Amino acid sequence: MKSFENIDVKSVREAVSLLQKFHQQKKSAAVVGGGSEYLQLMKDHVVEPDYLINLKSIPGLDYIKEERGGFRIGALAKLVEIEEHPAVREKLLILSSAAGEAASPQIRNAGTIAGNLCQRPFCWYFRSSNFTCLRKGGQVCYTVTGDGRFHAILGAGPSYIVHPSDTAPALVALGAQIKIAGPTGEKMIPLEKFFVLPSVDYKRENILNPAEIVTEIFVPTPKAGSKGFYHKVRERLAWDHAIVAVATIVESSGSVVRAARVVMGGVAPIPWRAAKAEEFLRGKRIDEATAKQAGEIALEGAKPLKDNVYKVKMAQDLIQRGLLASA
Amino acid sequence: MAQAPKEYSIVGKQTPRIDAYERVTGQAQYTGDLQLPGMLYARVLRSNVPHAKIISIDTSKAEKLPGVKAVIHHENAKVPWSSGGHTHRRYIFNNPVRYVGDPVAAVAATDRHIAEDALKLIDVKYEKIPHVLDANEALKPDAPKIAPNGNLSVGKGAFSAPIEESWGDIEQGFKDADRVFEDTYITKHVNNAQLERRVSIAKWDAGKLTVYASTQGVSNARTDIAKDFALPLSKVRVVCKYMGGGFGNKNQAQDYDYMAAMLAKVAAQPVKLEFTREDDYIGMHGRWASEQHYKVGVKNDGTITAVSLDAVTNMGAYRKQSGNLSGTDFYNIPNFKKVIKPVHTNTVVAANYRAPAYPQSVFGFASFLDQVAFELGVNPLDMFMRNRAQKSKGKLPFTSNYLEQCILEGSKRIGFSEKWHKPGATAGPVKHGIGMALGGYPFRPGLGAATIRVNPDGTAHVLVGVTDIGTGAKSTMAIIASEALGIPLNQIQLTNGDTDVTPYSVGESGSRTTAFTGPAVVAAAEDVRKQIFALASAPMKSKPEELDLRDGQVFRKADSAQRIALGQIVKDSGDLIGRATTNPNFPKEMDGKCFSAHFAEVEVDTWTGHVRITRYVAAHDSGAILNRLTAESQIKGGVVQGIGMAFSEELLIDKVTAIPINPNYRDAKVPTHLETPEVEVIFVEHYDPYGVFGGKVVGEPPITAAVATIANAIFNATGKRFKELPITPDKIVRAVQV
């Protein structure tokens, strides 16, 4: 690991002004919460910041507060706290499940919600110091000629990473918003707009500018009559990323769908919202045939690589299963 | 069943490890924990090209980096590594480099980060040579040559090639068959993935080299180092007190021991060289991948008449070990022929990993037999029972063989007959399956040595060369000593793993520890007991042969009430020393083997490709069990490794760049607790006349049957035969869609 200087900051404002200062000085700096992900990138020489700004020293940024209309979750709230929070379990079950499906118990005890949303890709070419891939300033995405069994089937190109977060698809399905602090103050935007496709900019995964940090997530409580489902397929039941993950929320009146959200993880460079499938479901009764058809619609336009064709059917099946469970 | 000649005080009980407390409280000092005064830290630069000549290597910038004390490479450290390759000469740094991961240079510095930074400052110029990654491609006449004689790995003696074995009349065997089946099974390179990364600390004192190694064999490590550094054995000391697992990849001395020694020599300071996890995956070795083509002749009732096996095994760039495949060992095959070609490719080296020649070939052969049973309409339980081994290599009797009981007891425990159904018969997307396979491992005794010192207070010191690689060998040796001496376990101190102090040991690999060193401990105990009885003769007014020792008390066999504490007998005698070097063997016309029958039930989710093992039963014939607690743990651990090999583990190499892309725990996917069911262990216990206290072997066998057992259960669930490992969700989803 390259030598770096650690700075414990006491406030969001201090963190932001340090980021701004280092950026102006053309020095590399990064923020860390739990550090479970970022320190590994440093050990693997994927990132080599001069300064590490430790956010854990900011008091009170790890809250989970239930308010009218929803939950406010501080950036430093740990995955384990979200997983085990009684009101989150009761009212935001898919978020609690998704947080509990992430990584391993050890990582969930350290990893924060903001860190989980801001993870860098887990593509093996990206993570290896032996490959200078497109995303690291190189010329090619090695997945195209190499082994892309875990890579994207939707929304990809020129980079084929998948977004690794478990909580992101669940939060997008829940219609969460994300609060970002920067030099000019704070802004709140829909989480869905936070992520960046490689066709827009293949060197980043989200919209954060160099002096911006995530400070809070707001999750609206689903309307009465809503049911949700989060399911993650992977090779190993702990410490493994999704091959395909599906988050669904179905708001029904009687047995008729008023609104549905279908969001996939592990299939695209961002949490992938299947808007057409959602539209298709509105006003329908969910039975096996409808659920199956929704799955097929959700995967329309999938462009698998040679090694990940299997993901298409797997995702269709999982959506079908998710919708039947949410109905 | 054969019974033990007498009842034992401690053998056969559940005994916690004698060093359990130190290990779980963190007091145990593993090699990586050791700190020597003035010690430097080292890192290794590895080739990032698969096959190339090194034109130049410029280390001047690295040497100037503050904190760097030594930089070595193929020009200034041309040390042969004899046990690293058995076809062409292998050095600790090779030119040409032959795979991505071949060491190019090593740096010692005042801390490991400086050493790591220094690696980036080394400028290596390569002239690329064409390379080959696939074993079949490598055998083609126009393939790039990796060894001077070509890519069929031809070495001397045990390393000759092809590996050939046959008995009976293979042609007649196929003629006698009602049906003949042929198929091919494929297994991949998997890493040993032991928790403790490879680490070595070397220091020189007035021409004497001490290596604190993480080795499975201090004696053979010493022999290797002495040979390759041209030192007398007396000038080399190898120490390994606590060892964090090896599963076959840490036997003998390895290149990192040599690099540490060379760096320490150049820097004139002790050097610790600890691998990173990536080093560990690509810099040493894993299990050889294989492509196994079987032809099997059977009668309509399933009886095997002939088996032929043609295979290639991918050994990577160097031939470190055999490359053999022996999964047919557990069956009665009257006519047999195998031809196995170990092949060189420009990939990570393959060598020993727990039961080296077995789990991959048991997967191939037991899967195929299960398939043949299906084609014949024979129940797999009948198929395996009918064809189980009754003689070795078609003719030799075994010293003991309870394979039949393993099959009977294991199948009864899991309810195989009641639960087995037509493959793929469960309705709905989640399908139940049950499967089985046979496994085991050779058992033979051999050369061992031990010293026992009885102190004047009646306590004892046992000195053995063994390292405890996780098997509980230290505890086993102490248990054997306690039983053989008649001194309670808590009055026995065990010293192990130090070539300056402890006597020879074969190396803790190949399930040899108990069978080789155990008899020496027993003989050393008998030696010292003779001395004790001679001393006790006068005070007990008896002839020595009328006396016995148990629980630290010397007593008359005829009247056990007449007794004196051992401490009283020996208090004025200084130390009594018992010693023995033993080399037992079987009669020539016999063979030794332990056996197992494994059974698993699974649920396969055909939508997600996820397989859950709902029940696992492992029935083993390991002879008598010396320590039930550690023996059961070994069985469970072996099954877990088999689960990883069956479901997820595979070292993947990028086909374009030849660079391994998943050399770490995260991406190579060793199993976690969640993949691991409770393993129900059955020991079909009996007394083997050639084992120490009737015991055969435990360590290697448990992994052998596990992979095939799971694969056969998946077949029963899905009706789809998976002929290539690992059986990952993508393969399952693709297969069931067809």
Side-chain angles (χ1 to χ4, degrees):
Chain A
M1 191 190 292
K2 201 189 74 142
S3 298
F4 64 91
E5 190 178 324
N6 180 71
I7 304 167
D8 293 338
V9 291
K10 292 283 177 290
S11 66
V12 169
R13 180 178 293 192
E14 189 187 352
V16 168
S17 70
L18 279 173
L19 282 173
Q20 197 174 17
K21 184 180 94 181
F22 294 136
H23 182 61
Q24 282 159 0
Q25 293 172 353
K26 299 204 184 319
K27 294 206 169 113
S28 61
V31 294
V32 285
S36 58
E37 203 257 336
Y38 205 76
L39 288 178
Q40 190 59 47
L41 287 169
M42 291 167 69
K43 286 182 188 170
D44 291 341
H45 300 276
V46 176
V47 293
E48 301 198 307
D50 300 315
Y51 297 93
L52 210 52
I53 296 166
N54 176 22
L55 302 178
K56 283 195 301 296
S57 45
I58 300 175
L61 204 58
D62 59 352
Y63 53 84
I64 301 175
K65 292 179 194 158
E66 189 179 2
E67 293 178 359
R68 238 168 60 110
F71 288 76
R72 294 193 180 280
I73 303 176
L76 292 179
K78 288 176 182 159
L79 294 177
V80 66
E81 292 160 352
I82 293 166
E83 177 192 356
E84 292 177 357
H85 193 280
V88 172
R89 274 206 164 165
E90 188 195 329
K91 293 172 184 165
L92 307 176
L93 181 61
I94 65 166
L95 177 60
S96 163
S97 316
E101 298 273 315
S104 65
Q106 293 90 333
I107 293 173
R108 295 198 293 273
N109 285 336
T112 63
I113 184 68
N116 190 263
L117 294 173
C118 297
Q119 284 175 86
R120 302 304 311 273
F122 273 85
C123 166
W124 37 38
Y125 295 104
F126 176 77
R127 292 265 161 176
S128 166
S129 59
N130 288 317
F131 294 94
T132 307
C133 72
L134 193 61
R135 204 165 272 271
K136 292 189 287 187
Q139 299 301 310
V140 292
C141 174
Y142 287 90
T143 316
V144 178
T145 54
D147 193 323
R149 68 183 69 193
F150 297 128
H151 290 73
I153 54 172
L154 285 160
S159 157
Y160 288 82
I161 62 137
V162 292
H163 201 273
S165 170
D166 281 297
T167 57
L171 285 167
V172 170
L174 286 161
Q177 296 189 298
I178 188 165
K179 192 187 269 183
I180 295 167
T184 55
E186 289 185 333
K187 59 183 173 186
M188 189 76 135
I189 60 156
L191 180 63
E192 211 185 327
K193 308 267 185 223
F194 179 66
F195 303 101
V196 174
L197 279 171
S199 54
V200 176
D201 184 348
Y202 56 73
K203 286 194 181 173
R204 56 160 76 196
E205 292 83 43
N206 57 55
I207 60 167
L208 287 180
N209 285 319
E212 288 182 333
I213 62 172
V214 174
T215 58
E216 186 185 273
I217 315 296
F218 174 74
V219 194
T221 309
K223 293 202 177 114
S226 297
K227 268 178 87 176
F229 174 88
Y230 182 79
H231 193 98
K232 176 182 182 182
V233 180
R234 53 192 147 170
E235 287 194 348
R236 186 167 63 183
L237 289 176
W239 199 28
D240 204 358
H241 293 93
I243 299 172
V244 177
V246 168
T248 51
I249 302 256
V250 177
E251 184 201 334
S252 305
S253 168
S255 57
V256 175
V257 176
R258 287 169 62 99
R261 284 270 184 129
V262 177
V263 185
M264 286 176 277
V267 297
I270 62 171
W272 192 260
R273 200 173 152 191
K276 275 191 183 164
E278 293 174 1
E279 195 50 46
F280 162 79
L281 288 164
R282 196 191 303 271
K284 297 222 167 45
R285 286 167 202 280
I286 294 182
D287 55 21
E288 201 141 321
T290 329
K292 189 164 188 285
Q293 208 177 335
E296 284 161 7
I297 293 168
L299 273 295
E300 275 174 11
K303 286 184 191 146
L305 299 157
K306 65 179 169 31
D307 300 319
N308 65 9
V309 180
Y310 71 94
K311 280 195 177 190
V312 177
K313 178 75 164 40
M314 199 182 261
Q316 286 170 345
D317 285 350
L318 212 56
I319 289 172
Q320 184 183 344
R321 191 176 281 186
L323 289 171
L324 289 170
S326 310
Chain B
M1 265 183 244
Q3 293 296 318
K6 63 171 197 170
E7 199 174 308
Y8 297 126
S9 338
I10 183 160
V11 159
K13 308 275 190 306
Q14 297 214 33
T15 310
R17 290 165 193 255
I18 58 169
D19 58 358
Y21 184 84
E22 295 93 297
R23 286 190 192 258
V24 300
T25 55
Q27 292 174 34
Q29 293 277 300
Y30 290 82
T31 307
D33 297 325
L34 300 176
Q35 300 285 337
L36 302 182
M39 189 171 81
L40 302 173
Y41 299 82
R43 279 283 190 261
V44 182
L45 179 70
R46 297 179 182 281
S47 166
N48 60 4
V49 290
H51 204 190
K53 210 171 160 197
I54 299 172
I55 301 301
S56 68
I57 179 160
D58 180 358
T59 59
S60 55
K61 279 187 195 154
E63 281 163 37
K64 282 186 198 122
L65 187 69
V68 171
K69 302 288 181 184
V71 182
I72 56 171
H73 47 82
H74 75 100
E75 286 170 2
N76 65 2
K78 197 169 170 142
V79 183
W81 178 21
S82 305
S83 64
H86 293 279
T87 47
H88 46 291
R89 195 65 156 152
R90 187 175 186 185
Y91 297 89
I92 58 171
F93 303 108
N94 293 284
N95 188 13
V97 290
R98 298 182 176 93
Y99 69 100
V100 172
D102 219 346
V104 172
V107 174
T110 48
D111 78 44
R112 62 190 164 90
H113 302 292
I114 295 173
E116 226 166 80
D117 287 345
L119 297 184
K120 290 189 200 157
L121 300 174
I122 298 173
D123 186 18
V124 188
K125 294 213 164 24
Y126 296 105
E127 183 182 289
K128 288 191 184 175
I129 304 171
H131 68 273
V132 59
L133 303 178
D134 179 83
N136 286 316
E137 292 294 319
L139 281 176
K140 290 182 180 166
D142 54 346
K145 269 190 192 175
I146 296 155
N149 296 327
N151 296 333
L152 177 65
S153 178
V154 182
K156 287 184 187 134
F159 299 97
S160 63
I163 301 163
E164 292 180 304
E165 192 175 20
S166 64
W167 59 78
D169 180 340
I170 191 78
E171 292 312 320
Q172 190 57 45
F174 285 123
K175 276 183 204 154
D176 293 345
D178 293 326
R179 309 220 7 219
V180 175
F181 297 89
E182 284 189 67
D183 216 334
T184 301
Y185 286 79
I186 292 168
T187 69
K188 300 299 180 66
H189 181 109
V190 290
N191 189 267
N192 306 44
Q194 79 297 332
L195 196 56
E196 181 195 45
R197 286 170 284 138
R198 295 165 177 89
V199 54
S200 186
I201 300 170
K203 69 172 184 130
W204 294 83
D205 303 285
K208 181 172 178 179
L209 171 61
T210 300
V211 179
Y212 297 92
S214 157
T215 180
Q216 294 180 226
V218 289
S219 300
N220 55 32
R222 181 179 70 151
T223 310
D224 284 352
I225 294 167
K227 181 181 174 191
D228 289 329
F229 281 78
L231 291 167
L233 288 173
S234 58
K235 291 287 185 194
V236 181
R237 179 188 181 192
V238 179
V239 185
C240 181
K241 292 288 182 187
Y242 288 93
M243 209 265 186
F247 306 114
N249 66 19
K250 289 185 186 158
N251 202 16
Q252 305 193 260
Q254 309 278 0
D255 59 356
Y256 54 96
D257 297 309
Y258 293 12
M259 289 177 202
M262 281 308 288
L263 288 165
K265 195 170 196 176
V266 174
Q269 280 174 270
V271 170
K272 178 193 278 184
L273 172 53
E274 188 168 21
F275 274 11
T276 64
R277 185 57 69 185
E278 181 172 338
D279 283 331
D280 217 87
Y281 264 85
I282 67 175
M284 193 46 51
H285 70 245
R287 184 183 300 286
W288 46 87
S290 66
E291 190 174 314
Q292 313 161 27
H293 183 76
Y294 292 99
K295 186 175 170 189
V296 176
V298 282
K299 293 287 193 189
N300 283 328
D301 65 4
T303 308
I304 295 172
T305 61
V307 172
S308 76
L309 165 61
D310 281 286
V312 290
T313 48
N314 186 344
M315 306 310 289
Y318 302 94
R319 178 97 175 272
K320 235 178 146 185
Q321 257 104 17
S322 79
N324 202 353
L325 296 167
S326 304
T328 47
D329 273 10
F330 314 110
Y331 302 91
N332 224 36
I333 302 172
N335 304 292
F336 179 74
K337 182 168 190 252
K338 78 173 174 190
V339 178
I340 293 161
K341 293 176 182 156
V343 177
H344 289 301
T345 60
N346 295 106
T347 61
V348 173
V349 177
N352 287 349
Y353 173 6
R354 197 173 191 169
Y358 287 92
Q360 64 276 57
S361 53
V362 170
F363 162 72
F365 191 62
S367 293
F368 191 36
L369 275 193
D370 194 66
Q371 181 64 29
V372 168
F374 172 69
E375 309 260 352
L376 293 172
V378 172
N379 185 288
L381 182 59
D382 296 338
M383 187 76 178
F384 286 107
M385 181 60 99
R386 177 181 296 277
N387 291 300
R388 74 185 186 282
Q390 299 185 54
K391 282 183 176 161
S392 178
K393 301 187 192 304
K395 57 173 195 286
L396 294 180
F398 293 108
T399 60
S400 61
N401 176 358
Y402 290 81
L403 180 54
E404 181 182 6
Q405 283 73 9
C406 288
I407 300 172
L408 287 172
E409 289 190 30
S411 61
K412 190 173 164 207
R413 172 79 72 91
I414 204 164
F416 194 93
S417 299
E418 304 84 70
K419 288 176 181 167
W420 186 86
H421 48 70
K422 196 170 156 284
T426 320
V430 180
K431 298 185 182 298
H432 168 272
I434 189 165
M436 66 173 289
L438 309 182
Y441 197 77
F443 153 60
R444 68 188 167 95
L447 187 63
T451 305
I452 296 176
R453 199 174 85 204
V454 173
N455 299 311
D457 63 355
T459 62
H461 265 81
V462 177
L463 282 78
V464 282
V466 304
T467 57
D468 189 341
I469 63 171
T471 58
K474 282 162 74 177
S475 309
T476 310
M477 292 302 134
I479 286 167
I480 292 170
S482 171
E483 189 71 52
L485 283 166
I487 295 175
L489 187 66
N490 63 10
Q491 291 176 28
I492 287 177
Q493 176 69 42
L494 188 106
T495 299
N496 75 306
D498 182 343
T499 58
D500 265 13
V501 179
T502 56
Y504 168 87
S505 165
V506 61
E508 287 49 64
S509 61
S511 271
R512 298 180 297 184
T513 312
T514 305
F516 281 46
T517 302
V521 174
V522 172
E526 280 162 8
D527 185 22
V528 81
R529 276 165 64 97
K530 271 191 203 139
Q531 299 172 47
I532 290 165
F533 298 145
L535 277 174
S537 176
M540 297 203 62
K541 300 183 181 64
S542 313
K543 289 178 186 160
E545 60 270 24
E546 291 169 344
L547 298 174
D548 200 352
L549 168 60
R550 226 171 176 178
D551 297 328
Q553 305 280 319
V554 179
F555 61 95
R556 275 177 62 86
K557 286 179 195 165
D559 176 12
S560 65
Q562 221 182 311
R563 55 176 56 213
I564 302 178
L566 175 61
Q568 279 298 313
I569 305 279
V570 299
K571 67 180 165 35
D572 300 320
S573 306
D575 289 340
L576 298 185
I577 311 275
R579 57 200 162 82
T581 300
T582 50
N583 196 3
N585 209 344
F586 301 145
K588 273 209 165 50
E589 63 283 6
M590 287 189 116
D591 200 1
K593 202 161 268 88
C594 63
F595 294 100
S596 68
H598 283 205
F599 301 85
E601 279 185 84
V602 298
E603 279 174 10
V604 182
D605 186 329
T606 53
W607 284 16
T608 63
H610 182 71
V611 181
R612 192 165 75 90
I613 301 172
T614 54
R615 193 146 180 228
Y616 201 102
V617 174
H620 280 249
D621 158 16
S622 283
I625 299 303
L626 273 58
N627 183 359
R628 194 160 285 279
L629 204 58
T630 49
E632 278 198 19
S633 302
Q634 292 239 59
I635 305 299
K636 291 174 183 178
V639 171
V640 175
Q641 288 179 313
I643 290 170
M645 188 171 160
F647 285 157
S648 53
E649 289 181 63
E650 172 184 6
L651 185 69
L652 296 168
I653 292 177
D654 181 65
K655 288 194 176 61
V656 178
T657 59
I659 297 173
I661 53 175
N662 63 344
N664 56 65
Y665 276 177
R666 185 186 62 235
D667 291 328
K669 299 190 179 169
V670 293
T672 72
H673 281 291
L674 295 179
E675 279 70 50
T676 309
E678 180 61 37
V679 177
E680 298 170 46
V681 180
I682 298 170
F683 285 117
V684 178
E685 267 204 270
H686 63 276
Y687 183 89
D688 186 284
Y690 297 93
V692 182
F693 298 116
K696 295 199 279 189
V697 302
V698 178
E700 306 269 5
I703 190 177
T704 57
V707 187
T709 298
I710 294 163
N712 287 344
I714 294 173
F715 172 74
N716 184 248
T718 60
K720 304 290 177 189
R721 180 66 60 186
F722 293 89
K723 298 175 190 174
E724 184 178 322
L725 293 179
I727 307 171
T728 46
D730 58 313
K731 287 180 186 157
I732 291 174
V733 169
R734 275 195 304 243
V736 296
Q737 277 175 35
V738 175

